[in-house]
Amino acid sequence: MGQQLDKDRFSEAEFVRFGERLAEQVATLRETLARPGFGEGPLTIGAELELFLTTPDGRPLHRNREVREAAADGRLVSELGRFNLEVNLTPLPLAGRPFTAMAAELRETMDLVDKAAAAQGGRSVAIGILPSLSEFDFTHEALSDEARYRAMTRGMRRLRAEPFRVRISGAEELELEVEGVILESANTSWQVHLRTAPADFARVYNAAQLAVGPVLAVSGNSPGFLGRRLWEETRIALFEEAADDRDVERLDRRDRRVAFGSGWVGGAEELFEMCVREYEPVVPVLTDAPDTAGGAPELAELRLHQGMVWLWNRPVYDPADGGHLRVEMRALPAGPTPADMVANAAFMLGLTLAMADEPVHESPFAGAYRNFYRAAISGLDAPMSWPGRDGEVPAHRLVEDLLPVAADGLARAGVEAREAERALDVIRERAGRRRTGAVWQREKLAELGTDPAARARMVTRYQELALTGEPVHTWPL
């Protein structure tokens, strides 16, 4: 959805032609993935970080265009809400010391955004959901002033006539409705990409579906929304509800547009075909460019459509560098610090790569599904199952047991032992002390109160501690 558009309104004829292009390009993708040697190469990783912009007193700052222009860096792009920005990190090989390089670029780009925000009278913060958001931050005026976001809003409204309703039951209850998809802007993520050869895609993707449950449990950083205490990772529920384009007649016909999935997969083409078959287009941009890029087909329409079906683990086709596939791991929250995010990435990547060599598809998919949503709801207290283990254990114990597995997966990918150890030690300490970003936020709000002013004060304290660079399990109250 990072594509720039020159218009935001489309005719029904354009939607029809776009659908025809999707069918054609799915067939082309299948042929491309079957080419001998296509997409093979060393494992590489990349990442995207979504940030909030805030005023000095911790409230949302609706000036993302001005901040991006002041920063003047091509790695920064606007997001849906005027108080959001996204940082796209440079892809790099997984072998060697990738997490040191990733942390350095995170610090560099976050500092860049902070300085640009300061020139606009603000600051930035990496946090799953900004606690100081209020209902008044989700008006039509909060939408970023770009054609792609206006087009997305109109496209989603074309599919769903009723208001978008959000109902979340946690420690407290939240129920509200809005006319558009602006509530998506309340969620910010730390999205990790792993390049994988087509022949390995199914094994890696299925392993990521299994791995994400315990990783999410130890990474929670979004314990509420609009002053309500909800899930440990409320982003999961909020994004699924806020982008649900199904009307009342289609509720039982398919999953939401943001979903975990319903079974193990046999290949990347299966997921692309499912997204074309089950989900209607939202932004039907038709291209006239030749369908090649460095020897690989561009598949521009298919890539745009795939970018608007938000599976928590999503397949990505990229024509760059001769063409390749990636698994985009979308479920992890932003923040609190570069050290925390790099640790989350290391645990997710290591556990995925280790389990890709195991017969994951022979275990019940329901176990992975339950683990994911239990992690989102209850964090480190969630009961979890795991292939080869009897019964269920609390997530914090499972995380500790799986750290050597993740270390082995990283070692087999060529990550230096000390590099992996440093990153995974953050996870070990976080699980052992039972202190995630979500736990810190809940405890701080219990101290300060939950009124709007108290939530804003919590944000400023969070920003102060995040600037130290120390991981969240070391933060004092």
Side-chain angles (χ1 to χ4, degrees), residues 309-357:
V309 180
W310 296 280
L311 303 177
W312 289 115
N313 287 307
R314 181 165 67 180
V316 175
Y317 167 82
D318 193 331
D321 301 323
H324 63 272
L325 289 175
R326 299 195 299 271
V327 177
E328 182 186 16
M329 304 162 183
R330 302 176 44 79
L332 302 181
T337 68
D340 288 299
M341 289 183 281
V342 164
N344 296 343
F347 190 29
M348 183 70 194
L349 291 166
L351 192 54
T352 295
L353 291 170
M355 297 310 296
D357 291 332

mmCIF file of all heavy atoms in Angstrom, residues 309-357:
data_model
loop_
_atom_site.group_PDB
_atom_site.id
_atom_site.type_symbol
_atom_site.label_atom_id
_atom_site.label_comp_id
_atom_site.label_asym_id
_atom_site.label_seq_id
_atom_site.Cartn_x
_atom_site.Cartn_y
_atom_site.Cartn_z
ATOM 1 N N VAL A 309 -4.753 -6.997 1.783
ATOM 2 C CA VAL A 309 -5.279 -8.133 2.549
ATOM 3 C C VAL A 309 -4.240 -8.393 3.624
ATOM 4 O O VAL A 309 -3.139 -8.851 3.343
ATOM 5 C CB VAL A 309 -5.487 -9.378 1.673
ATOM 6 C CG1 VAL A 309 -6.031 -10.526 2.512
ATOM 7 C CG2 VAL A 309 -6.431 -9.067 0.513
ATOM 8 N N TRP A 310 -4.578 -8.083 4.867
ATOM 9 C CA TRP A 310 -3.574 -7.979 5.912
ATOM 10 C C TRP A 310 -3.480 -9.249 6.757
ATOM 11 O O TRP A 310 -3.789 -9.233 7.963
ATOM 12 C CB TRP A 310 -3.871 -6.765 6.782
ATOM 13 C CG TRP A 310 -3.778 -5.468 6.035
ATOM 14 C CD1 TRP A 310 -2.648 -4.785 5.714
ATOM 15 C CD2 TRP A 310 -4.868 -4.673 5.526
ATOM 16 N NE1 TRP A 310 -2.949 -3.633 5.036
ATOM 17 C CE2 TRP A 310 -4.311 -3.529 4.895
ATOM 18 C CE3 TRP A 310 -6.251 -4.826 5.522
ATOM 19 C CZ2 TRP A 310 -5.090 -2.556 4.297
ATOM 20 C CZ3 TRP A 310 -7.031 -3.846 4.911
ATOM 21 C CH2 TRP A 310 -6.459 -2.729 4.316
ATOM 22 N N LEU A 311 -3.063 -10.341 6.153
ATOM 23 C CA LEU A 311 -2.809 -11.549 6.945
ATOM 24 C C LEU A 311 -1.698 -11.254 7.950
ATOM 25 O O LEU A 311 -0.744 -10.523 7.650
ATOM 26 C CB LEU A 311 -2.392 -12.703 6.033
ATOM 27 C CG LEU A 311 -3.383 -13.083 4.911
ATOM 28 C CD1 LEU A 311 -2.787 -14.192 4.055
ATOM 29 C CD2 LEU A 311 -4.719 -13.518 5.501
ATOM 30 N N TRP A 312 -1.799 -11.862 9.148
ATOM 31 C CA TRP A 312 -0.785 -11.574 10.173
ATOM 32 C C TRP A 312 0.592 -12.072 9.754
ATOM 33 O O TRP A 312 1.603 -11.464 10.097
ATOM 34 C CB TRP A 312 -1.218 -12.150 11.518
ATOM 35 C CG TRP A 312 -2.371 -11.396 12.114
ATOM 36 C CD1 TRP A 312 -3.632 -11.852 12.343
ATOM 37 C CD2 TRP A 312 -2.371 -10.022 12.540
ATOM 38 N NE1 TRP A 312 -4.423 -10.852 12.874
ATOM 39 C CE2 TRP A 312 -3.673 -9.729 13.014
ATOM 40 C CE3 TRP A 312 -1.400 -9.019 12.566
ATOM 41 C CZ2 TRP A 312 -4.026 -8.472 13.496
ATOM 42 C CZ3 TRP A 312 -1.751 -7.760 13.043
ATOM 43 C CH2 TRP A 312 -3.042 -7.499 13.508
ATOM 44 N N ASN A 313 0.644 -13.165 9.032
ATOM 45 C CA ASN A 313 1.854 -13.537 8.291
ATOM 46 C C ASN A 313 1.448 -13.520 6.827
ATOM 47 O O ASN A 313 0.546 -14.251 6.416
ATOM 48 C CB ASN A 313 2.366 -14.921 8.701
ATOM 49 C CG ASN A 313 3.008 -14.896 10.080
ATOM 50 O OD1 ASN A 313 3.902 -14.091 10.347
ATOM 51 N ND2 ASN A 313 2.562 -15.774 10.963
ATOM 52 N N ARG A 314 2.121 -12.691 6.034
ATOM 53 C CA ARG A 314 1.640 -12.426 4.680
ATOM 54 C C ARG A 314 2.717 -12.776 3.657
ATOM 55 O O ARG A 314 3.894 -12.464 3.862
ATOM 56 C CB ARG A 314 1.268 -10.949 4.556
ATOM 57 C CG ARG A 314 0.725 -10.547 3.201
ATOM 58 C CD ARG A 314 0.034 -9.195 3.242
ATOM 59 N NE ARG A 314 0.926 -8.084 3.505
ATOM 60 C CZ ARG A 314 0.527 -6.812 3.586
ATOM 61 N NH1 ARG A 314 -0.750 -6.513 3.433
ATOM 62 N NH2 ARG A 314 1.388 -5.843 3.831
ATOM 63 N N PRO A 315 2.325 -13.403 2.535
ATOM 64 C CA PRO A 315 3.296 -13.631 1.465
ATOM 65 C C PRO A 315 3.525 -12.354 0.669
ATOM 66 O O PRO A 315 2.585 -11.595 0.412
ATOM 67 C CB PRO A 315 2.614 -14.699 0.608
ATOM 68 C CG PRO A 315 1.149 -14.414 0.762
ATOM 69 C CD PRO A 315 0.981 -13.913 2.178
ATOM 70 N N VAL A 316 4.761 -12.128 0.288
ATOM 71 C CA VAL A 316 5.107 -10.954 -0.515
ATOM 72 C C VAL A 316 5.881 -11.424 -1.738
ATOM 73 O O VAL A 316 6.863 -12.170 -1.605
ATOM 74 C CB VAL A 316 5.967 -9.953 0.286
ATOM 75 C CG1 VAL A 316 6.427 -8.802 -0.610
ATOM 76 C CG2 VAL A 316 5.193 -9.418 1.484
ATOM 77 N N TYR A 317 5.431 -10.985 -2.909
ATOM 78 C CA TYR A 317 6.197 -11.175 -4.144
ATOM 79 C C TYR A 317 6.839 -9.842 -4.489
ATOM 80 O O TYR A 317 6.168 -8.805 -4.507
ATOM 81 C CB TYR A 317 5.293 -11.633 -5.286
ATOM 82 C CG TYR A 317 5.964 -11.541 -6.639
ATOM 83 C CD1 TYR A 317 6.827 -12.548 -7.068
ATOM 84 C CD2 TYR A 317 5.763 -10.436 -7.466
ATOM 85 C CE1 TYR A 317 7.464 -12.452 -8.314
ATOM 86 C CE2 TYR A 317 6.388 -10.334 -8.697
ATOM 87 C CZ TYR A 317 7.241 -11.346 -9.113
ATOM 88 O OH TYR A 317 7.878 -11.236 -10.330
ATOM 89 N N ASP A 318 8.146 -9.859 -4.781
ATOM 90 C CA ASP A 318 8.875 -8.635 -5.110
ATOM 91 C C ASP A 318 9.668 -8.890 -6.388
ATOM 92 O O ASP A 318 10.455 -9.838 -6.446
ATOM 93 C CB ASP A 318 9.812 -8.273 -3.964
ATOM 94 C CG ASP A 318 10.369 -6.857 -4.092
ATOM 95 O OD1 ASP A 318 10.497 -6.372 -5.236
ATOM 96 O OD2 ASP A 318 10.694 -6.251 -3.050
ATOM 97 N N PRO A 319 9.487 -8.057 -7.430
ATOM 98 C CA PRO A 319 10.232 -8.266 -8.667
ATOM 99 C C PRO A 319 11.678 -7.786 -8.604
ATOM 100 O O PRO A 319 12.440 -8.000 -9.552
ATOM 101 C CB PRO A 319 9.435 -7.455 -9.687
ATOM 102 C CG PRO A 319 8.815 -6.359 -8.887
ATOM 103 C CD PRO A 319 8.498 -6.972 -7.551
ATOM 104 N N ALA A 320 12.073 -7.146 -7.513
ATOM 105 C CA ALA A 320 13.434 -6.608 -7.404
ATOM 106 C C ALA A 320 14.475 -7.723 -7.367
ATOM 107 O O ALA A 320 14.196 -8.851 -6.944
ATOM 108 C CB ALA A 320 13.546 -5.745 -6.149
ATOM 109 N N ASP A 321 15.676 -7.392 -7.807
ATOM 110 C CA ASP A 321 16.812 -8.319 -7.747
ATOM 111 C C ASP A 321 16.516 -9.644 -8.453
ATOM 112 O O ASP A 321 16.881 -10.713 -7.964
ATOM 113 C CB ASP A 321 17.221 -8.585 -6.293
ATOM 114 C CG ASP A 321 17.607 -7.311 -5.557
ATOM 115 O OD1 ASP A 321 18.227 -6.437 -6.193
ATOM 116 O OD2 ASP A 321 17.281 -7.185 -4.368
ATOM 117 N N GLY A 322 15.840 -9.580 -9.584
ATOM 118 C CA GLY A 322 15.518 -10.795 -10.316
ATOM 119 C C GLY A 322 14.261 -11.486 -9.852
ATOM 120 O O GLY A 322 13.857 -12.499 -10.437
ATOM 121 N N GLY A 323 13.622 -10.947 -8.813
ATOM 122 C CA GLY A 323 12.374 -11.516 -8.295
ATOM 123 C C GLY A 323 12.587 -12.462 -7.137
ATOM 124 O O GLY A 323 13.523 -13.263 -7.141
ATOM 125 N N HIS A 324 11.737 -12.354 -6.113
ATOM 126 C CA HIS A 324 11.839 -13.257 -4.971
ATOM 127 C C HIS A 324 10.548 -13.214 -4.152
ATOM 128 O O HIS A 324 9.683 -12.361 -4.368
ATOM 129 C CB HIS A 324 13.029 -12.889 -4.083
ATOM 130 C CG HIS A 324 12.922 -11.526 -3.456
ATOM 131 N ND1 HIS A 324 13.365 -10.385 -4.087
ATOM 132 C CD2 HIS A 324 12.415 -11.112 -2.264
ATOM 133 C CE1 HIS A 324 13.160 -9.333 -3.307
ATOM 134 N NE2 HIS A 324 12.571 -9.751 -2.195
ATOM 135 N N LEU A 325 10.454 -14.130 -3.198
ATOM 136 C CA LEU A 325 9.354 -14.201 -2.240
ATOM 137 C C LEU A 325 9.860 -13.833 -0.851
ATOM 138 O O LEU A 325 11.016 -14.087 -0.516
ATOM 139 C CB LEU A 325 8.770 -15.609 -2.187
ATOM 140 C CG LEU A 325 7.956 -16.111 -3.374
ATOM 141 C CD1 LEU A 325 7.586 -17.571 -3.150
ATOM 142 C CD2 LEU A 325 6.691 -15.272 -3.577
ATOM 143 N N ARG A 326 8.951 -13.271 -0.066
ATOM 144 C CA ARG A 326 9.251 -13.027 1.353
ATOM 145 C C ARG A 326 8.060 -13.450 2.202
ATOM 146 O O ARG A 326 6.915 -13.418 1.741
ATOM 147 C CB ARG A 326 9.545 -11.545 1.618
ATOM 148 C CG ARG A 326 10.719 -10.983 0.870
ATOM 149 C CD ARG A 326 11.168 -9.655 1.459
ATOM 150 N NE ARG A 326 10.158 -8.616 1.410
ATOM 151 C CZ ARG A 326 9.986 -7.769 0.401
ATOM 152 N NH1 ARG A 326 10.737 -7.871 -0.690
ATOM 153 N NH2 ARG A 326 9.064 -6.825 0.450
ATOM 154 N N VAL A 327 8.331 -13.792 3.442
ATOM 155 C CA VAL A 327 7.289 -13.914 4.458
ATOM 156 C C VAL A 327 7.338 -12.634 5.281
ATOM 157 O O VAL A 327 8.376 -12.300 5.862
ATOM 158 C CB VAL A 327 7.509 -15.140 5.367
ATOM 159 C CG1 VAL A 327 6.434 -15.181 6.458
ATOM 160 C CG2 VAL A 327 7.494 -16.416 4.554
ATOM 161 N N GLU A 328 6.243 -11.889 5.283
ATOM 162 C CA GLU A 328 6.143 -10.663 6.069
ATOM 163 C C GLU A 328 5.440 -10.988 7.380
ATOM 164 O O GLU A 328 4.277 -11.383 7.387
ATOM 165 C CB GLU A 328 5.358 -9.593 5.304
ATOM 166 C CG GLU A 328 5.253 -8.275 6.046
ATOM 167 C CD GLU A 328 4.350 -7.282 5.344
ATOM 168 O OE1 GLU A 328 3.563 -7.696 4.460
ATOM 169 O OE2 GLU A 328 4.419 -6.089 5.684
ATOM 170 N N MET A 329 6.145 -10.816 8.485
ATOM 171 C CA MET A 329 5.638 -11.144 9.820
ATOM 172 C C MET A 329 5.112 -9.857 10.438
ATOM 173 O O MET A 329 5.866 -9.016 10.915
ATOM 174 C CB MET A 329 6.762 -11.773 10.638
ATOM 175 C CG MET A 329 7.359 -13.004 9.956
ATOM 176 S SD MET A 329 8.978 -13.464 10.612
ATOM 177 C CE MET A 329 9.388 -14.857 9.547
ATOM 178 N N ARG A 330 3.778 -9.704 10.474
ATOM 179 C CA ARG A 330 3.143 -8.423 10.723
ATOM 180 C C ARG A 330 2.582 -8.251 12.134
ATOM 181 O O ARG A 330 2.045 -7.205 12.458
ATOM 182 C CB ARG A 330 1.978 -8.238 9.742
ATOM 183 C CG ARG A 330 2.358 -8.303 8.281
ATOM 184 C CD ARG A 330 1.138 -8.201 7.377
ATOM 185 N NE ARG A 330 0.216 -7.169 7.819
ATOM 186 C CZ ARG A 330 0.375 -5.880 7.592
ATOM 187 N NH1 ARG A 330 1.416 -5.456 6.909
ATOM 188 N NH2 ARG A 330 -0.512 -5.009 8.041
ATOM 189 N N ALA A 331 2.660 -9.269 12.965
ATOM 190 C CA ALA A 331 1.888 -9.251 14.205
ATOM 191 C C ALA A 331 2.566 -8.532 15.364
ATOM 192 O O ALA A 331 1.911 -8.230 16.357
ATOM 193 C CB ALA A 331 1.568 -10.689 14.636
ATOM 194 N N LEU A 332 3.860 -8.256 15.286
ATOM 195 C CA LEU A 332 4.574 -7.710 16.437
ATOM 196 C C LEU A 332 4.337 -6.210 16.565
ATOM 197 O O LEU A 332 4.275 -5.494 15.568
ATOM 198 C CB LEU A 332 6.070 -7.991 16.313
ATOM 199 C CG LEU A 332 6.449 -9.471 16.199
ATOM 200 C CD1 LEU A 332 7.950 -9.629 16.099
ATOM 201 C CD2 LEU A 332 5.901 -10.262 17.386
ATOM 202 N N PRO A 333 4.222 -5.700 17.792
ATOM 203 C CA PRO A 333 3.975 -4.275 17.996
ATOM 204 C C PRO A 333 5.234 -3.447 17.844
ATOM 205 O O PRO A 333 6.355 -3.947 18.000
ATOM 206 C CB PRO A 333 3.474 -4.219 19.443
ATOM 207 C CG PRO A 333 4.200 -5.353 20.106
ATOM 208 C CD PRO A 333 4.268 -6.445 19.074
ATOM 209 N N ALA A 334 5.073 -2.170 17.574
ATOM 210 C CA ALA A 334 6.185 -1.238 17.619
ATOM 211 C C ALA A 334 6.662 -1.068 19.052
ATOM 212 O O ALA A 334 5.868 -1.121 19.989
ATOM 213 C CB ALA A 334 5.747 0.111 17.057
ATOM 214 N N GLY A 335 7.976 -0.860 19.212
ATOM 215 C CA GLY A 335 8.557 -0.487 20.490
ATOM 216 C C GLY A 335 8.824 -1.634 21.436
ATOM 217 O O GLY A 335 8.703 -2.793 21.067
ATOM 218 N N PRO A 336 9.183 -1.316 22.682
ATOM 219 C CA PRO A 336 9.441 0.043 23.161
ATOM 220 C C PRO A 336 10.761 0.677 22.672
ATOM 221 O O PRO A 336 10.834 1.874 22.440
ATOM 222 C CB PRO A 336 9.466 -0.116 24.689
ATOM 223 C CG PRO A 336 8.703 -1.353 24.960
ATOM 224 C CD PRO A 336 9.020 -2.260 23.793
ATOM 225 N N THR A 337 11.848 -0.130 22.513
ATOM 226 C CA THR A 337 13.148 0.410 22.147
ATOM 227 C C THR A 337 13.740 -0.415 21.010
ATOM 228 O O THR A 337 13.300 -1.539 20.749
ATOM 229 C CB THR A 337 14.121 0.356 23.339
ATOM 230 O OG1 THR A 337 14.430 -1.020 23.621
ATOM 231 C CG2 THR A 337 13.532 1.025 24.577
ATOM 232 N N PRO A 338 14.772 0.097 20.338
ATOM 233 C CA PRO A 338 15.457 -0.730 19.344
ATOM 234 C C PRO A 338 15.929 -2.064 19.903
ATOM 235 O O PRO A 338 15.825 -3.097 19.229
ATOM 236 C CB PRO A 338 16.628 0.146 18.903
ATOM 237 C CG PRO A 338 16.097 1.542 19.042
ATOM 238 C CD PRO A 338 15.266 1.500 20.298
ATOM 239 N N ALA A 339 16.428 -2.069 21.139
ATOM 240 C CA ALA A 339 16.878 -3.331 21.740
ATOM 241 C C ALA A 339 15.737 -4.333 21.846
ATOM 242 O O ALA A 339 15.916 -5.534 21.586
ATOM 243 C CB ALA A 339 17.482 -3.061 23.120
ATOM 244 N N ASP A 340 14.558 -3.855 22.227
ATOM 245 C CA ASP A 340 13.394 -4.747 22.337
ATOM 246 C C ASP A 340 12.950 -5.258 20.981
ATOM 247 O O ASP A 340 12.661 -6.451 20.815
ATOM 248 C CB ASP A 340 12.228 -4.001 23.007
ATOM 249 C CG ASP A 340 12.453 -3.761 24.483
ATOM 250 O OD1 ASP A 340 12.588 -4.743 25.231
ATOM 251 O OD2 ASP A 340 12.501 -2.591 24.881
ATOM 252 N N MET A 341 12.881 -4.373 19.992
ATOM 253 C CA MET A 341 12.388 -4.784 18.681
ATOM 254 C C MET A 341 13.348 -5.743 17.996
ATOM 255 O O MET A 341 12.923 -6.714 17.354
ATOM 256 C CB MET A 341 12.118 -3.546 17.819
ATOM 257 C CG MET A 341 10.909 -2.757 18.294
ATOM 258 S SD MET A 341 10.496 -1.326 17.253
ATOM 259 C CE MET A 341 11.704 -0.131 17.835
ATOM 260 N N VAL A 342 14.644 -5.501 18.140
ATOM 261 C CA VAL A 342 15.627 -6.412 17.563
ATOM 262 C C VAL A 342 15.550 -7.777 18.247
ATOM 263 O O VAL A 342 15.647 -8.823 17.594
ATOM 264 C CB VAL A 342 17.032 -5.794 17.675
ATOM 265 C CG1 VAL A 342 18.109 -6.845 17.445
ATOM 266 C CG2 VAL A 342 17.183 -4.663 16.669
ATOM 267 N N ALA A 343 15.344 -7.786 19.555
ATOM 268 C CA ALA A 343 15.192 -9.054 20.271
ATOM 269 C C ALA A 343 13.956 -9.803 19.787
ATOM 270 O O ALA A 343 13.996 -11.029 19.575
ATOM 271 C CB ALA A 343 15.102 -8.799 21.773
ATOM 272 N N ASN A 344 12.849 -9.095 19.603
ATOM 273 C CA ASN A 344 11.628 -9.736 19.096
ATOM 274 C C ASN A 344 11.863 -10.330 17.709
ATOM 275 O O ASN A 344 11.409 -11.441 17.408
ATOM 276 C CB ASN A 344 10.488 -8.721 19.043
ATOM 277 C CG ASN A 344 10.099 -8.189 20.410
ATOM 278 O OD1 ASN A 344 10.451 -8.772 21.434
ATOM 279 N ND2 ASN A 344 9.398 -7.078 20.437
ATOM 280 N N ALA A 345 12.570 -9.578 16.862
ATOM 281 C CA ALA A 345 12.870 -10.066 15.518
ATOM 282 C C ALA A 345 13.743 -11.312 15.578
ATOM 283 O O ALA A 345 13.507 -12.281 14.839
ATOM 284 C CB ALA A 345 13.554 -8.971 14.703
ATOM 285 N N ALA A 346 14.751 -11.300 16.430
ATOM 286 C CA ALA A 346 15.654 -12.445 16.532
ATOM 287 C C ALA A 346 14.909 -13.692 16.994
ATOM 288 O O ALA A 346 15.114 -14.796 16.463
ATOM 289 C CB ALA A 346 16.799 -12.123 17.495
ATOM 290 N N PHE A 347 14.043 -13.550 17.980
ATOM 291 C CA PHE A 347 13.281 -14.686 18.487
ATOM 292 C C PHE A 347 12.334 -15.205 17.408
ATOM 293 O O PHE A 347 12.238 -16.418 17.175
ATOM 294 C CB PHE A 347 12.513 -14.264 19.733
ATOM 295 C CG PHE A 347 11.873 -15.398 20.492
ATOM 296 C CD1 PHE A 347 12.401 -16.679 20.491
ATOM 297 C CD2 PHE A 347 10.713 -15.173 21.235
ATOM 298 C CE1 PHE A 347 11.809 -17.718 21.195
ATOM 299 C CE2 PHE A 347 10.111 -16.195 21.947
ATOM 300 C CZ PHE A 347 10.653 -17.475 21.922
ATOM 301 N N MET A 348 11.661 -14.294 16.715
ATOM 302 C CA MET A 348 10.728 -14.709 15.674
ATOM 303 C C MET A 348 11.446 -15.404 14.526
ATOM 304 O O MET A 348 11.024 -16.471 14.058
ATOM 305 C CB MET A 348 9.979 -13.476 15.152
ATOM 306 C CG MET A 348 8.913 -13.786 14.095
ATOM 307 S SD MET A 348 7.495 -14.654 14.785
ATOM 308 C CE MET A 348 6.678 -15.221 13.296
ATOM 309 N N LEU A 349 12.537 -14.838 14.067
ATOM 310 C CA LEU A 349 13.268 -15.420 12.940
ATOM 311 C C LEU A 349 13.907 -16.745 13.323
ATOM 312 O O LEU A 349 13.838 -17.727 12.571
ATOM 313 C CB LEU A 349 14.327 -14.435 12.450
ATOM 314 C CG LEU A 349 13.804 -13.169 11.759
ATOM 315 C CD1 LEU A 349 14.905 -12.129 11.638
ATOM 316 C CD2 LEU A 349 13.227 -13.504 10.384
ATOM 317 N N GLY A 350 14.542 -16.789 14.484
ATOM 318 C CA GLY A 350 15.205 -18.022 14.900
ATOM 319 C C GLY A 350 14.239 -19.168 15.099
ATOM 320 O O GLY A 350 14.489 -20.300 14.652
ATOM 321 N N LEU A 351 13.116 -18.883 15.754
ATOM 322 C CA LEU A 351 12.134 -19.933 16.006
ATOM 323 C C LEU A 351 11.492 -20.389 14.696
ATOM 324 O O LEU A 351 11.263 -21.591 14.489
ATOM 325 C CB LEU A 351 11.073 -19.417 16.981
ATOM 326 C CG LEU A 351 10.127 -20.450 17.594
ATOM 327 C CD1 LEU A 351 10.892 -21.571 18.274
ATOM 328 C CD2 LEU A 351 9.181 -19.777 18.595
ATOM 329 N N THR A 352 11.228 -19.457 13.798
ATOM 330 C CA THR A 352 10.658 -19.819 12.494
ATOM 331 C C THR A 352 11.608 -20.716 11.718
ATOM 332 O O THR A 352 11.203 -21.764 11.180
ATOM 333 C CB THR A 352 10.349 -18.546 11.683
ATOM 334 O OG1 THR A 352 9.320 -17.809 12.338
ATOM 335 C CG2 THR A 352 9.907 -18.884 10.271
ATOM 336 N N LEU A 353 12.872 -20.342 11.644
ATOM 337 C CA LEU A 353 13.826 -21.125 10.862
ATOM 338 C C LEU A 353 14.058 -22.500 11.476
ATOM 339 O O LEU A 353 14.215 -23.496 10.760
ATOM 340 C CB LEU A 353 15.142 -20.355 10.740
ATOM 341 C CG LEU A 353 15.057 -19.106 9.860
ATOM 342 C CD1 LEU A 353 16.319 -18.270 9.995
ATOM 343 C CD2 LEU A 353 14.814 -19.481 8.404
ATOM 344 N N ALA A 354 14.075 -22.569 12.797
ATOM 345 C CA ALA A 354 14.258 -23.871 13.449
ATOM 346 C C ALA A 354 13.069 -24.784 13.180
ATOM 347 O O ALA A 354 13.227 -25.967 12.849
ATOM 348 C CB ALA A 354 14.457 -23.684 14.951
ATOM 349 N N MET A 355 11.850 -24.250 13.308
ATOM 350 C CA MET A 355 10.660 -25.076 13.133
ATOM 351 C C MET A 355 10.381 -25.376 11.663
ATOM 352 O O MET A 355 9.626 -26.295 11.353
ATOM 353 C CB MET A 355 9.450 -24.400 13.775
ATOM 354 C CG MET A 355 9.579 -24.218 15.290
ATOM 355 S SD MET A 355 10.065 -25.726 16.172
ATOM 356 C CE MET A 355 8.659 -26.796 15.856
ATOM 357 N N ALA A 356 10.986 -24.610 10.731
ATOM 358 C CA ALA A 356 10.816 -24.907 9.308
ATOM 359 C C ALA A 356 11.415 -26.255 8.942
ATOM 360 O O ALA A 356 11.041 -26.838 7.915
ATOM 361 C CB ALA A 356 11.453 -23.805 8.467
ATOM 362 N N ASP A 357 12.326 -26.757 9.758
ATOM 363 C CA ASP A 357 12.925 -28.077 9.513
ATOM 364 C C ASP A 357 12.175 -29.193 10.223
ATOM 365 O O ASP A 357 12.606 -30.347 10.199
ATOM 366 C CB ASP A 357 14.390 -28.073 9.966
ATOM 367 C CG ASP A 357 15.265 -27.207 9.073
ATOM 368 O OD1 ASP A 357 14.920 -27.058 7.881
ATOM 369 O OD2 ASP A 357 16.270 -26.661 9.559
#
